[in-house]
Amino acid sequence: MLVSAAGPGPALAPRAPSAALLRVRGPWCRRGGRLCSPAVCSRRGSRARRCPAMLALLLCFSPPRSSKEEEQLQPEAGSSNGQENKPSPKELEELELLNRALEKVLKVRKSILKTPLEAQGATGEKSAGEGPAPKNAEKQQVPVPVEDVPMSTKVRAVSKRPASLKKPSPYQLKAPYRTDPEVKKLQRKALSRCVSRGPRTAGKSSSKGVVCKQRRSPTRAVSASDREVCAPAEPQKAPGSSRSALNAQQSFSIEDSVGEKNSVAAGRQLLDAGKKSCGFLGESSKKENPTAEGALGRSTSPRRVTLQEKGCQLKLPLPYRKAYFRNSRAWERCRLCQTSADAAAARNRFIERIQTTFCSPRPAFSPAEVEEELKVLQDVLSLLSQYMEAEFADHPTLQREYESLLTLEGLQTTVSQCLRKLQLLQAGVEAQRRLHPDCAVDGGSCFPACVPSRGQMCDTAGMLAVPLLCYSSFQELRDLFALKLQVSMLHQEIALQKVMMAELLPVLEAWPCPEASAVQLYRAVYTQLCEGGKRFPVLMRDELAD
Amino acid sequence: MRRRQQQQQQQRQQQQQQQQQQRRGRSLSGAVGALCRALPPRARPAPDTLRCARFDRPQASLDFWRLLYALLKQIHGRKWTESDAIDNQIRFVKAALWYYGYDRPELYRLPSDGSAGSRELLLAFSWLLHRISLLEQLLARNRVKTGDETSVCTCEDGLPNSLKGTTEKAPEHGLEGGVDVRYLQWLNGRLRFQWRSLHAQHEEQCKLLHKIHLFTSGSHVDQILGHFSVTETDLVRQPENYKQLLQLLESETMQLEAFLEWKQLEPVYWQWMETVLDNMAEEGNTCESQDARVEGSGLPKVASCCPWADSLTGQIDKLSRDLTTLREQLHKLTTRRKAAWCEKVKTREEELQKEGFSATARKIQESVELKLLDLTYLCAPPQKRMHGSHRLVFRNKHPASKMGFGRSVSKEPVSAVSATEVIRELQMTEASLERELKQLQEECRQRLDEVAEGLDGVICISP
């Protein structure tokens, strides 16, 4: 008889006694939180901030003499953390104009695509396009998917948490219209590009929307809802500006919540993200220029030029160019400058003399050198393992086999060399331990992780050269970024794994009397520790059928 | 007559000496001034501090400690707070000097309120100048970034060190009543979701970055770069926002020029430092007898705990365990293969001799040696690894295209790292980290299996 099936954790509220058993003592969550928050959040924040800025550059590259309204285009999505203002009639008017613009856009789009999403989105959009009255409907519709999201994510969450999610208040024109001028400008420009962009991008965005909609898994839900929210108001994938801006906001709201370990706050934040995104999009029609014609009129004017068109003719402003030139020439001179013989001789004399005053006998390795050698040995070890694994395969010819034999013998010598070196290093560590100044500094804070090796420090010219990282294709750049993230993520996972092992395993192993509900705990811990929280084991009751 | 000549000669000599001294004095102050100006603006001493330190004036000690603290913290790249108490700063500086191998006991005996020892600090500072190429490192680290920067190493990612502190403190903050394990599951899910959205954002940023690079190709005055970065593109649009950048560039240029000046006057500085040592040697002779007694109870005391040594011993142990397992595996494999080989060869010995196998054998030997040369090269440092943040530059591989341009490989004053190398290294790191994670998971599985046996009447089937 199956006790429990594989799948997301028990969403049923367990009874009180077994609930107690499911508790795990320990401060791990604090530690885990410490591990999670800085790494992820700082990255998200900085990335989120930069995307919209880059978009602005790409989209609307007007010459600098254009109006002051272009100033402060760096959207500070962080500052947008929700001030709910009541929209003024003027804003409503502008929203109406936006809706009309959207109508036009949608007509173009509809004529090309016949996907199911379009129908769905179109209903939302159409309602948006039908003037002020259905505006409420649009906004009503929009928060609904957002509502679903917290629910679905909650399915996996602790259901017996006392505080429950607040239902979002209906959007009776109380949408939190953001009055950030920067964000408005971004969206306005995005919109202006919208109109002139071809329907091709429309196709892309909607198909993406389809994909998202169809995969209603909890973890995807939020991003899906983002796109849905996107869809009604921003049908074109004006280079993902809205989405990225959304991400920006969303990331900030989630960022805030990472600090808190409270699920409730998180759910609410997701909601707020949705709300904000609504307001954000509604915002997009605002014109900060009170004298211009309609938003529509502006958006169709072809005054803005994209970076794509003007990019290769751009010139840096003169003062910057001069400063840059001087700077790079100075760097070059410094790089080529060599230590004169006199200086080198005098310096070496001084160093020798001062080193005679060091306590003798001097240890063979300084702590920095020990760490460096250790890193080298670790690299050698991984290389050795790779070579060895290559030799596991069977070799067809006699020559290959001979070669493999020789290789293996060579590897063996290297391993012995490494082991000998390790012994030397250990002796060095012990020597340093004796010399350790009586200043108990926390190991982590003092000793640098990213310091050039001794060899690099001798190569001062190399240090002063311009450090460039050259990539040759978009794919490469993407792989680079993805891999870096992956490595960071793995570091974090390993650290978390160690922490959890240290905390959870002793609890289970010291179990005095296993009960029925201990099984649930076992299953949860098993999943967490052995499957990375992704897959669940099946627990079967071992009963013989009578 | 002769006496007058001698007198004249003496006078001339004296004059010459005076002139030399004046010149040296001027060039010394020039050297010290240049040195101070070549240091980063946040940690720039007054030349007077160094001069006072040379005469061991106690009032310069505090400033010197702070100076060393600021400089070393910049190198270590971590956040530094000026508000750190002086004894923390002193401890940090002492630990850092020890780390780099500065074994002069007098420094470590200096009081931790910073009241004395400026001369010792001056010596330590000069030693650091050479040992870790302090000036060059600082210049390189504080380089004004006008481009799209990304780091090529993942050194900062290894968290375990910083974790150690928390594991020790954590048990005190035990949560009352424990925590529900489903909360853990939920947190884990949320973390994974955040990673995913971070991935998405990175992709987004990637795409936009590439576009900007692509579209502005050919615009940069600097041929090596070829295209604008985001900052520079924005600079074209709104120059008024970037006044600070310009100022930074200017001040960096001045710093670099000071560095060049310093390089010219370096010999004077080192000679001056030798005089400091001379003075100390003279003084030392007079109070050597005192020191001898103090020395006994001085530096080589067995430190009660040295976290660094413990952590490194741990790493060394792990590495030696891994190497020993590898050695055993190799041994097994080799013996097996050897046996098989001997079997094969026994029967065909004559045949092989006819084929001239020995010649082929020698060739194979050479090729294997070459192959293993990589390893021996690795074992012998120094090894160049890429570190720190680099500027992203898009270089189209097809020079025929309009936007690409031919790479002038000849005299590139750049340390250009190619993305393919970095990607390869990252892939290797990723693979090894995944192996480590799988190992840990396997260990957990085994331990949990043991626990499962304790659970009555339940069988666990892993997915």
Side-chain angles (χ1 to χ4, degrees):
Chain A
M1 179 180 97
L2 277 167
V3 168
S4 41
L12 343 150
R15 290 162 304 249
S18 45
L21 286 172
L22 281 164
R23 289 178 180 282
V24 177
R25 254 169 228 286
W28 49 261
C29 62
R30 205 165 298 225
R31 253 183 281 164
R34 247 195 284 261
L35 281 174
C36 302
S37 17
V40 183
C41 293
S42 57
R43 276 183 240 256
R44 307 240 352 254
S46 57
R47 297 289 179 190
R49 264 185 280 256
R50 273 186 261 156
C51 278
M54 288 196 270
L55 276 167
L57 290 175
L58 278 174
L59 293 176
C60 302
F61 201 81
S62 348
R65 56 179 147 64
S66 73
S67 57
K68 272 190 297 218
E69 61 190 78
E70 306 234 20
E71 273 176 348
Q72 320 155 17
L73 197 67
Q74 321 287 329
E76 288 155 9
S79 63
S80 69
N81 267 334
Q83 282 152 348
E84 308 205 5
N85 310 320
K86 291 217 185 317
S88 64
K90 185 169 141 227
E91 289 166 338
L92 291 177
E93 204 183 286
E94 289 164 357
L95 190 59
E96 161 119 22
L97 290 168
L98 165 68
N99 294 331
R100 280 202 222 122
L102 289 172
E103 249 186 20
K104 289 196 180 181
V105 164
L106 287 167
K107 278 194 205 134
V108 172
R109 188 183 168 204
K110 251 169 44 176
S111 65
I112 308 226
L113 305 158
K114 297 189 183 81
T115 59
L117 170 71
E118 206 194 313
Q120 255 175 6
T123 46
E125 290 147 3
K126 257 208 214 147
S127 63
E130 275 158 39
K135 236 187 320 196
N136 294 352
E138 172 204 357
K139 293 189 215 68
Q140 287 279 12
Q141 198 156 10
V142 159
V144 166
V146 179
E147 257 181 68
D148 285 347
V149 165
M151 283 312 176
S152 50
T153 46
K154 280 281 170 207
V155 165
R156 293 173 36 205
V158 178
S159 52
K160 64 187 285 277
R161 283 273 134 183
S164 54
L165 271 185
K166 277 190 351 208
K167 288 264 176 195
S169 45
Y171 271 87
Q172 293 298 338
L173 290 181
K174 248 182 42 165
Y177 286 107
R178 279 168 49 260
T179 47
D180 271 346
E182 304 92 35
V183 174
K184 281 186 297 194
K185 282 173 215 139
L186 175 63
Q187 277 308 81
R188 181 171 58 79
K189 290 179 167 66
L191 209 51
S192 67
R193 296 314 304 160
C194 275
V195 180
S196 42
R197 285 266 167 120
R200 193 169 42 94
T201 47
K204 270 198 215 152
S205 75
S206 58
S207 53
K208 260 212 175 102
V210 174
V211 164
C212 293
K213 255 230 138 175
Q214 287 166 353
R215 279 197 261 161
R216 252 357 208 115
S217 57
T219 49
R220 284 292 208 141
V222 181
S223 36
S225 76
D226 281 353
R227 299 214 174 87
E228 283 177 72
V229 171
C230 251
E234 275 287 313
Q236 303 274 3
K237 190 185 165 199
S241 61
S242 48
R243 218 167 2 107
S244 67
L246 268 169
N247 283 343
Q249 295 173 66
Q250 185 197 5
S251 70
F252 272 87
S253 37
I254 288 189
E255 210 173 57
D256 294 342
S257 60
V258 166
E260 321 158 27
K261 311 285 189 285
N262 220 330
S263 52
V264 181
R268 206 180 301 135
Q269 300 271 1
L270 285 173
L271 236 87
D272 289 345
K275 275 194 201 164
K276 274 177 224 153
S277 48
C278 282
F280 187 94
L281 295 164
E283 201 68 11
S284 57
S285 67
K286 287 206 183 27
K287 311 175 324 248
E288 62 286 7
N289 193 341
T291 60
E293 314 90 51
L296 212 58
R298 278 207 85 129
S299 53
T300 45
S301 72
R303 268 190 281 151
R304 309 241 174 262
V305 187
T306 58
L307 191 63
Q308 188 164 18
E309 299 154 20
K310 273 187 73 179
C312 32
Q313 306 157 11
L314 291 176
K315 275 190 124 112
L316 292 166
L318 192 61
Y320 178 81
R321 239 185 300 155
K322 279 204 210 144
Y324 183 86
F325 248 140
R326 274 201 296 262
N327 185 278
S328 61
R329 262 207 306 265
W331 273 109
E332 188 53 22
R333 290 207 318 263
C334 287
R335 185 185 77 96
L336 294 171
C337 154
Q338 295 190 340
T339 312
S340 65
D342 293 339
R347 188 185 63 198
N348 292 341
R349 269 202 311 271
F350 168 74
I351 296 289
E352 277 170 22
R353 275 191 68 182
I354 194 175
Q355 289 191 167
T356 55
T357 70
F358 286 2
C359 38
S360 58
R362 282 199 73 194
F365 298 101
S366 74
E369 285 166 350
V370 170
E371 288 194 3
E372 206 179 296
E373 296 287 338
L374 211 55
K375 272 194 224 155
V376 167
L377 281 178
Q378 280 166 349
D379 285 344
V380 171
L381 174 67
S382 55
L383 209 59
L384 282 173
S385 326
Q386 277 180 23
Y387 278 171
M388 187 180 76
E389 289 187 14
E391 302 301 328
F392 268 127
D394 268 328
H395 307 289
T397 68
L398 218 54
Q399 281 95 328
R400 274 296 294 133
E401 201 157 322
Y402 186 63
E403 190 182 332
S404 144
L405 258 183
L406 287 178
T407 318
L408 287 173
E409 284 180 354
L411 294 179
Q412 275 184 315
T413 6
T414 320
V415 171
S416 331
Q417 280 175 353
C418 290
L419 280 169
R420 272 200 298 270
K421 189 97 183 257
L422 262 185
Q423 283 177 340
L424 289 174
L425 285 180
Q426 181 65 44
V429 169
E430 290 307 313
Q432 287 295 344
R433 189 196 284 266
R434 281 197 299 277
L435 287 176
H436 183 87
D438 202 14
C439 52
V441 177
D442 181 18
S445 70
C446 179
F447 305 124
C450 188
V451 148
S453 63
R454 186 118 203 215
Q456 273 182 311
M457 292 204 266
C458 298
D459 176 25
T460 49
M463 255 198 249
L464 296 176
V466 181
L468 294 184
L469 174 58
C470 303
Y471 69 98
S472 55
S473 68
F474 171 56
Q475 189 63 36
E476 259 192 3
L477 190 63
R478 208 164 66 172
D479 290 340
L480 183 67
F481 276 46
L483 274 172
K484 279 170 62 159
L485 264 189
Q486 186 70 13
V487 168
S488 310
M489 195 170 78
L490 280 171
H491 271 289
Q492 193 188 53
E493 269 194 63
I494 290 180
L496 278 174
Q497 181 81 13
K498 291 186 181 157
V499 167
M500 286 199 289
M501 274 171 70
E503 291 294 319
L504 296 176
L505 282 178
V507 171
L508 278 184
E509 286 171 347
W511 213 268
C513 46
E515 304 177 14
S517 51
V519 165
Q520 286 174 355
L521 177 61
Y522 177 85
R523 186 153 154 278
V525 172
Y526 188 98
T527 310
Q528 207 51 50
L529 286 178
C530 306
E531 301 294 330
K534 292 182 200 149
R535 292 175 301 179
F536 288 77
V538 171
L539 297 168
M540 280 178 39
R541 203 173 287 265
D542 186 16
E543 276 178 5
L544 298 171
D546 288 321
Chain B
M1 185 54 178
R2 205 167 289 176
R3 227 182 343 156
R4 254 195 96 202
Q5 274 185 346
Q6 277 181 351
Q7 272 180 348
Q8 275 179 350
Q9 261 188 354
Q10 274 179 0
Q11 273 179 352
R12 248 179 284 136
Q13 272 179 0
Q14 274 177 358
Q15 271 180 353
Q16 273 181 355
Q17 271 182 3
Q18 270 180 358
Q19 278 177 354
Q20 257 185 9
Q21 272 185 359
Q22 275 180 350
R23 241 182 289 134
R24 225 182 297 137
R26 256 177 304 178
S27 44
L28 177 64
S29 58
V32 171
L35 177 62
C36 293
R37 272 177 296 127
L39 289 172
R42 282 197 304 177
R44 201 169 277 175
D48 215 31
T49 317
L50 274 83
R51 245 176 266 129
C52 289
R54 187 247 182 277
F55 297 108
D56 207 11
R57 304 252 185 280
Q59 54 266 40
S61 311
L62 206 58
D63 288 334
F64 225 114
W65 278 118
R66 283 201 220 274
L67 168 69
L68 283 177
Y69 177 77
L71 293 174
L72 287 169
K73 268 287 188 180
Q74 283 191 26
I75 291 199
H76 288 202
R78 306 283 163 108
K79 292 188 272 282
W80 61 308
T81 41
E82 279 163 10
S83 58
D84 254 3
I86 187 63
D87 56 342
N88 283 344
Q89 293 188 359
I90 290 181
R91 251 183 298 158
F92 174 79
V93 174
K94 285 187 183 172
L97 283 170
W98 166 77
Y99 181 75
Y100 287 118
Y102 187 73
D103 288 330
R104 208 173 138 80
E106 287 86 343
L107 181 99
Y108 299 105
R109 279 184 253 168
L110 288 177
S112 52
D113 57 352
S115 52
S118 50
R119 193 166 53 178
E120 282 298 326
L121 292 173
L122 179 62
L123 287 176
F125 172 67
S126 308
W127 183 85
L128 272 181
L129 270 182
H130 165 70
R131 165 70 174 84
I132 58 173
S133 307
L134 187 66
L135 278 179
E136 287 89 345
Q137 259 204 64
L138 286 170
L139 282 173
R141 275 189 184 253
N142 294 332
R143 201 172 189 127
V144 171
K145 301 194 192 333
T146 55
D148 305 311
E149 303 278 329
T150 183
S151 70
V152 293
C153 59
T154 50
C155 301
E156 300 293 325
D157 274 344
L159 294 172
N161 272 338
S162 53
L163 250 195
K164 285 209 183 78
T166 52
T167 32
E168 279 140 30
K169 290 185 233 136
E172 303 161 16
H173 311 286
L175 293 169
E176 279 314 309
V179 179
D180 198 316
V181 73
R182 286 169 297 177
Y183 180 53
L184 169 62
Q185 289 178 319
W186 181 82
L187 275 180
N188 191 50
R190 208 172 78 165
L191 177 64
R192 277 220 306 276
F193 168 68
Q194 289 187 332
W195 275 115
R196 257 197 281 256
S197 48
L198 186 60
H199 262 106
Q201 284 188 352
H202 270 234
E203 273 216 31
E204 177 96 18
Q205 191 201 26
C206 226
K207 192 176 50 156
L208 299 174
L209 208 57
H210 179 71
K211 276 201 182 145
I212 290 186
H213 290 181
L214 199 58
F215 296 163
T216 57
S217 288
S219 316
H220 208 291
V221 286
D222 190 343
Q223 283 295 328
I224 295 170
L225 297 175
H227 62 74
F228 288 173
S229 67
V230 176
T231 316
E232 287 167 340
T233 315
D234 203 28
L235 181 65
V236 177
R237 294 180 73 205
Q238 305 164 60
E240 55 278 359
N241 282 1
Y242 287 92
K243 293 211 191 345
Q244 204 190 27
L245 180 65
L246 268 178
Q247 281 172 359
L248 285 173
L249 275 177
E250 300 275 338
S251 87
E252 192 184 60
T253 313
M254 292 198 302
Q255 209 182 329
L256 290 168
E257 287 171 0
F259 176 77
L260 285 168
E261 224 183 289
W262 150 258
K263 279 307 228 186
Q264 297 233 331
L265 297 169
E266 238 193 301
V268 183
Y269 179 82
W270 294 114
Q271 285 165 2
W272 183 56
M273 289 309 300
E274 273 196 90
T275 61
V276 176
L277 282 179
D278 290 336
N279 288 2
M280 293 182 82
E282 284 167 16
E283 291 169 23
N285 279 332
T286 52
C287 53
E288 213 179 70
S289 48
Q290 293 176 8
D291 279 343
R293 258 179 287 131
V294 181
E295 192 73 27
S297 60
L299 192 58
K301 52 178 141 169
V302 181
S304 46
C305 71
C306 177
W308 175 83
D310 292 336
S311 118
L312 249 92
T313 314
Q315 286 182 39
I316 291 181
D317 284 341
K318 177 170 186 301
L319 197 56
S320 87
R321 271 197 310 258
D322 292 340
L323 277 172
T324 334
T325 3
L326 187 66
R327 186 170 59 175
E328 285 165 8
Q329 284 178 334
L330 270 177
H331 185 69
K332 262 193 279 182
L333 189 59
T334 327
T335 33
R336 216 174 358 131
R337 284 283 167 82
K338 251 201 191 142
W341 169 260
C342 290
E343 284 295 317
K344 276 199 201 156
V345 169
K346 247 193 303 188
T347 50
R348 302 161 56 173
E349 206 166 327
E350 287 176 14
E351 199 184 302
L352 292 171
Q353 262 189 355
K354 257 193 279 173
E355 285 174 26
F357 191 69
S358 44
T360 14
R362 237 173 299 135
K363 266 192 247 147
I364 295 181
Q365 253 176 357
E366 282 165 11
S367 74
V368 167
E369 270 171 27
L370 264 173
K371 187 164 73 164
L372 295 179
L373 209 60
D374 280 350
L375 280 178
T376 42
Y377 174 68
L378 259 187
C379 282
Q383 209 238 339
K384 280 216 181 150
R385 313 177 103 224
M386 312 172 273
H387 273 291
S389 84
H390 285 54
R391 176 176 175 153
L392 278 171
V393 169
F394 174 54
R395 290 227 177 121
N396 211 323
K397 276 213 180 112
H398 311 288
S401 79
K402 186 172 65 152
M403 296 209 237
F405 55 94
R407 295 181 63 172
S408 57
V409 189
S410 44
K411 45 173 179 73
E412 271 192 13
V414 296
S415 62
V417 172
S418 90
T420 18
E421 291 171 34
V422 181
I423 288 179
R424 215 173 345 125
E425 269 211 23
L426 284 173
Q427 281 171 338
M428 292 203 301
T429 322
E430 184 196 12
S432 77
L433 285 175
E434 280 191 355
R435 253 178 291 154
E436 191 181 336
L437 186 62
K438 289 250 165 3
Q439 248 181 353
L440 286 173
Q441 287 180 338
E442 197 47 51
E443 188 187 324
C444 288
R445 205 166 283 137
Q446 286 175 3
R447 285 171 72 172
L448 282 175
D449 280 345
E450 290 172 23
V451 172
E453 288 169 20
L455 289 174
D456 273 342
V458 177
I459 307 177
C460 174
I461 304 173
S462 52

PDB file of all heavy atoms in Angstrom, chain A residues 220-231:
ATOM      1  N   ARG A 220       7.220  28.664 -13.035  1.00  0.00           N
ATOM      2  CA  ARG A 220       7.165  29.515 -14.214  1.00  0.00           C
ATOM      3  C   ARG A 220       6.054  30.533 -14.103  1.00  0.00           C
ATOM      4  O   ARG A 220       5.984  31.466 -14.860  1.00  0.00           O
ATOM      5  CB  ARG A 220       6.879  28.658 -15.449  1.00  0.00           C
ATOM      6  CG  ARG A 220       8.061  27.885 -15.917  1.00  0.00           C
ATOM      7  CD  ARG A 220       9.097  28.820 -16.455  1.00  0.00           C
ATOM      8  NE  ARG A 220       9.917  28.206 -17.455  1.00  0.00           N
ATOM      9  CZ  ARG A 220      10.327  28.829 -18.537  1.00  0.00           C
ATOM     10  NH1 ARG A 220       9.945  30.031 -18.775  1.00  0.00           N
ATOM     11  NH2 ARG A 220      11.105  28.229 -19.398  1.00  0.00           N
ATOM     12  N   ALA A 221       5.214  30.281 -13.157  1.00  0.00           N
ATOM     13  CA  ALA A 221       3.976  31.050 -13.138  1.00  0.00           C
ATOM     14  C   ALA A 221       4.233  32.542 -13.096  1.00  0.00           C
ATOM     15  O   ALA A 221       3.593  33.306 -13.780  1.00  0.00           O
ATOM     16  CB  ALA A 221       3.135  30.621 -11.956  1.00  0.00           C
ATOM     17  N   VAL A 222       5.185  32.922 -12.300  1.00  0.00           N
ATOM     18  CA  VAL A 222       5.340  34.371 -12.165  1.00  0.00           C
ATOM     19  C   VAL A 222       5.823  34.980 -13.461  1.00  0.00           C
ATOM     20  O   VAL A 222       5.319  35.985 -13.917  1.00  0.00           O
ATOM     21  CB  VAL A 222       6.335  34.694 -11.034  1.00  0.00           C
ATOM     22  CG1 VAL A 222       6.481  36.165 -10.889  1.00  0.00           C
ATOM     23  CG2 VAL A 222       5.810  34.086  -9.754  1.00  0.00           C
ATOM     24  N   SER A 223       6.783  34.343 -14.066  1.00  0.00           N
ATOM     25  CA  SER A 223       7.264  34.942 -15.311  1.00  0.00           C
ATOM     26  C   SER A 223       6.179  34.900 -16.365  1.00  0.00           C
ATOM     27  O   SER A 223       6.035  35.799 -17.170  1.00  0.00           O
ATOM     28  CB  SER A 223       8.515  34.229 -15.788  1.00  0.00           C
ATOM     29  OG  SER A 223       8.413  32.865 -15.505  1.00  0.00           O
ATOM     30  N   ALA A 224       5.395  33.846 -16.322  1.00  0.00           N
ATOM     31  CA  ALA A 224       4.304  33.769 -17.281  1.00  0.00           C
ATOM     32  C   ALA A 224       3.345  34.913 -17.060  1.00  0.00           C
ATOM     33  O   ALA A 224       2.929  35.592 -17.982  1.00  0.00           O
ATOM     34  CB  ALA A 224       3.578  32.442 -17.139  1.00  0.00           C
ATOM     35  N   SER A 225       3.028  35.117 -15.837  1.00  0.00           N
ATOM     36  CA  SER A 225       2.073  36.191 -15.567  1.00  0.00           C
ATOM     37  C   SER A 225       2.670  37.514 -15.971  1.00  0.00           C
ATOM     38  O   SER A 225       1.980  38.395 -16.446  1.00  0.00           O
ATOM     39  CB  SER A 225       1.699  36.204 -14.095  1.00  0.00           C
ATOM     40  OG  SER A 225       2.753  36.756 -13.353  1.00  0.00           O
ATOM     41  N   ASP A 226       3.949  37.635 -15.796  1.00  0.00           N
ATOM     42  CA  ASP A 226       4.592  38.859 -16.257  1.00  0.00           C
ATOM     43  C   ASP A 226       4.296  39.083 -17.709  1.00  0.00           C
ATOM     44  O   ASP A 226       3.927  40.156 -18.139  1.00  0.00           O
ATOM     45  CB  ASP A 226       6.105  38.752 -16.117  1.00  0.00           C
ATOM     46  CG  ASP A 226       6.533  38.984 -14.695  1.00  0.00           C
ATOM     47  OD1 ASP A 226       5.652  39.359 -13.913  1.00  0.00           O
ATOM     48  OD2 ASP A 226       7.694  38.787 -14.407  1.00  0.00           O
ATOM     49  N   ARG A 227       4.484  38.003 -18.452  1.00  0.00           N
ATOM     50  CA  ARG A 227       4.304  38.170 -19.892  1.00  0.00           C
ATOM     51  C   ARG A 227       2.855  38.444 -20.226  1.00  0.00           C
ATOM     52  O   ARG A 227       2.557  39.190 -21.133  1.00  0.00           O
ATOM     53  CB  ARG A 227       4.798  36.929 -20.615  1.00  0.00           C
ATOM     54  CG  ARG A 227       6.270  36.743 -20.315  1.00  0.00           C
ATOM     55  CD  ARG A 227       7.011  36.176 -21.454  1.00  0.00           C
ATOM     56  NE  ARG A 227       8.432  36.161 -21.146  1.00  0.00           N
ATOM     57  CZ  ARG A 227       9.036  35.182 -20.515  1.00  0.00           C
ATOM     58  NH1 ARG A 227       8.360  34.135 -20.144  1.00  0.00           N
ATOM     59  NH2 ARG A 227      10.321  35.243 -20.246  1.00  0.00           N
ATOM     60  N   GLU A 228       2.007  37.795 -19.479  1.00  0.00           N
ATOM     61  CA  GLU A 228       0.604  38.065 -19.732  1.00  0.00           C
ATOM     62  C   GLU A 228       0.275  39.510 -19.451  1.00  0.00           C
ATOM     63  O   GLU A 228      -0.440  40.166 -20.169  1.00  0.00           O
ATOM     64  CB  GLU A 228      -0.259  37.186 -18.831  1.00  0.00           C
ATOM     65  CG  GLU A 228      -0.344  35.782 -19.288  1.00  0.00           C
ATOM     66  CD  GLU A 228      -1.144  34.987 -18.319  1.00  0.00           C
ATOM     67  OE1 GLU A 228      -2.372  35.186 -18.293  1.00  0.00           O
ATOM     68  OE2 GLU A 228      -0.558  34.203 -17.581  1.00  0.00           O
ATOM     69  N   VAL A 229       0.806  39.940 -18.351  1.00  0.00           N
ATOM     70  CA  VAL A 229       0.541  41.334 -18.023  1.00  0.00           C
ATOM     71  C   VAL A 229       1.112  42.216 -19.103  1.00  0.00           C
ATOM     72  O   VAL A 229       0.551  43.218 -19.493  1.00  0.00           O
ATOM     73  CB  VAL A 229       1.187  41.661 -16.654  1.00  0.00           C
ATOM     74  CG1 VAL A 229       1.118  43.127 -16.384  1.00  0.00           C
ATOM     75  CG2 VAL A 229       0.474  40.879 -15.574  1.00  0.00           C
ATOM     76  N   CYS A 230       2.222  41.780 -19.576  1.00  0.00           N
ATOM     77  CA  CYS A 230       2.852  42.506 -20.678  1.00  0.00           C
ATOM     78  C   CYS A 230       1.928  42.574 -21.850  1.00  0.00           C
ATOM     79  O   CYS A 230       1.761  43.596 -22.476  1.00  0.00           O
ATOM     80  CB  CYS A 230       4.080  41.726 -21.132  1.00  0.00           C
ATOM     81  SG  CYS A 230       5.581  42.487 -20.703  1.00  0.00           S
ATOM     82  N   ALA A 231       1.401  41.413 -22.157  1.00  0.00           N
ATOM     83  CA  ALA A 231       0.722  41.260 -23.445  1.00  0.00           C
ATOM     84  C   ALA A 231      -0.376  42.294 -23.672  1.00  0.00           C
ATOM     85  O   ALA A 231      -0.402  42.936 -24.710  1.00  0.00           O
ATOM     86  CB  ALA A 231       0.177  39.852 -23.560  1.00  0.00           C
TER      87      ALA A 231
END
